[in-house]
């Protein structure tokens, strides 16, 4: 028996002065973003090693590699009168506009650069999830599994043991799943994330750190990260693994966040909005 979901508006707060970081994602009556004290975060500069304070970081043009977690998270973003927030990086400009649409929040993105520019983008969302939380993705979806921190991966099919978030066991593993949507089930709350980008590769990256990272003073963090691209590191991206700026000089994409509470809900991967088509 499936109960009727109770939709609730999602509320997002950001910190433009510090990399455009999302500091709050309040939906379905709870805060979803995980945080940790990181004294380096307020003073980071472009080129610094990643300072993991939690929340959601905008990682572009790469996640792993150089610059560490990309270039935009360590630069100030600027907010225009209409609410658009933008960051200027050496090779590109990224902009976003976040707005409420009924029971969902929608973030519209645009990256402008020279035609042919290749990049990855990840909404590097670290979520506050209890042991027993699970991730909803269609069974059999292709997965690139990164067992150690490097660029090497093995190919699997979902779920392969990646769908359950257990207690701390001293492990840390990453994966990139060939899908543009994921649901996160934690108790009676369900969060759905979906990314759409016409003509560009989309995926969902997972970072399941159950006290296995870093080697010194490890902590628990769980990342569920809608992406453009299919790998963690731009340098390792093969044909079709990265987004590419077309002749018009811009790429547009959309991230949609919805949430509801329920006491008994089946995972349904067919209730997302259809893909929107953008033109240059």
């Amino acid at each position: 028996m499936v109960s009727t979901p109770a939709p609730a508006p999602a509320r997002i707060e950001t910190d433009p002065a510090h990399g455009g970081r999302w500091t709050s994602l309040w939906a379905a009556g709870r805060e979803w973003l995980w945080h940790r004290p990181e004294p380096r975060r307020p003073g980071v500069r472009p080129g610094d090693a990643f300072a993991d304070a939690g929340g959601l970081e905008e990682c572009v043009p790469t996640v792993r590699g150089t610059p560490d977690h990309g270039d935009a998270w360590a630069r100030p973003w600027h907010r225009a009168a209409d609410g658009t927030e933008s960051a200027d990086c050496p090779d590109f400009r990224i902009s976003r506009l976040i707005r409420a649409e009924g029971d969902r929040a929608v973030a519209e993105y645009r990256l402008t650069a020279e035609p042919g520019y290749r990049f990855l983008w990840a909404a590097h969302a670290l979520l506050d999830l209890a042991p027993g939380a699970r991730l909803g993705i269609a069974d059999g979806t292709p997965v690139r599994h990164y067992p150690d921190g490097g660029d090497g991966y093995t190919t699997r099919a979902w779920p392969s043991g990646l769908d359950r978030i257990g207690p701390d066991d001293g492990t840390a593993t990453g994966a990139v799943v060939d899908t543009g949507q994921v649901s996160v089930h934690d108790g009676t709350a369900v969060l759905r994330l979906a990314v759409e980008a016409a003509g560009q590769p989309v995926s969902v990256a997972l970072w399941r750190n159950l006290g296995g990272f870093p080697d010194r003073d490890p902590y628990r963090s769980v990342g569920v990260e809608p992406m453009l691209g299919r790998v963690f590191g731009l340098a390792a991206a093969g044909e079709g693994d990265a987004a590419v700026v077309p002749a018009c000089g811009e790429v547009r994409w959309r991230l949609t966040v919805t949430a509801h509470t329920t006491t008994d809900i089946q995972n349904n991967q067919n209730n997302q909005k259809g893909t929107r088509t953008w033109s240059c």
Side-chain angles (χ1 to χ4, degrees):
M1 179 176 180
V2 179
S3 62
T4 302
R11 186 179 73 245
I12 294 168
E13 296 178 5
T14 66
D15 185 358
H18 299 97
R21 177 171 165 257
W22 297 27
T23 56
S24 178
L25 170 53
W26 180 270
R30 57 161 286 177
E31 175 59 54
W32 287 91
L33 295 181
W34 166 90
H35 301 275
R36 68 184 288 267
E38 174 47 88
R40 293 187 300 116
R41 184 63 184 87
V44 295
R45 296 291 183 270
D48 284 355
F50 187 56
D52 188 5
L56 184 154
E57 301 278 13
E58 303 282 2
C59 293
V60 58
T62 190
V63 182
R64 294 179 178 172
T66 304
D68 187 9
H69 282 70
D71 201 23
W73 73 272
R75 294 178 183 272
W77 290 50
H78 306 283
R79 181 177 290 163
D82 66 353
T84 299
E85 297 173 339
S86 304
D88 291 302
C89 299
D91 298 319
F92 62 90
R93 188 172 201 261
I94 183 171
S95 302
R96 72 179 180 213
L97 176 62
I98 302 173
R99 65 180 187 276
E101 289 188 354
D103 65 343
R104 64 179 185 167
V106 178
E108 301 275 8
Y109 288 85
R110 183 174 73 152
L111 183 140
T112 56
E114 290 294 321
Y117 182 71
R118 301 172 79 240
F119 69 95
L120 307 175
W121 164 85
H124 189 276
L126 296 177
L127 303 183
D128 186 7
L129 302 179
R134 65 183 179 87
L135 307 179
I137 293 173
D139 286 354
T141 302
V143 177
R144 293 180 175 184
H145 180 236
Y146 294 76
D148 53 17
D151 288 329
Y153 63 84
T154 59
T155 302
R156 299 185 177 185
W158 185 267
S160 295
L162 296 170
D163 58 329
R164 298 285 176 172
I165 309 300
D168 291 359
D169 59 9
T171 64
T173 189
V176 178
V177 190
D178 190 14
T179 182
Q181 57 190 18
V182 59
S183 58
V184 182
H185 304 250
D186 191 9
T188 61
V190 182
L191 179 73
R192 298 184 187 277
L193 305 170
V195 59
E196 310 162 66
Q200 303 291 347
V202 298
S203 60
V204 173
L206 307 176
W207 171 239
R208 197 179 67 175
N209 173 26
L210 304 180
F213 176 88
D215 292 337
R216 181 177 180 181
D217 297 326
Y219 52 86
R220 177 188 179 92
S221 60
V222 178
V224 181
E225 309 169 22
M227 287 188 70
L228 296 193
R230 298 192 178 102
V231 291
F232 281 114
L234 183 60
E239 184 70 24
D241 286 341
V244 180
V245 176
C248 64
E250 70 174 33
V251 175
R252 297 190 181 210
W253 66 97
R254 165 186 278 192
L255 174 64
T256 304
V257 180
T258 58
H260 58 257
T261 59
T262 182
T263 55
D264 182 20
I265 187 167
Q266 295 176 346
N267 182 37
N268 180 358
Q269 295 296 325
N270 298 317
N271 65 348
Q272 301 291 339
K273 296 289 183 180
T275 300
R276 176 180 175 184
T277 300
W278 289 277
S279 60
C280 296

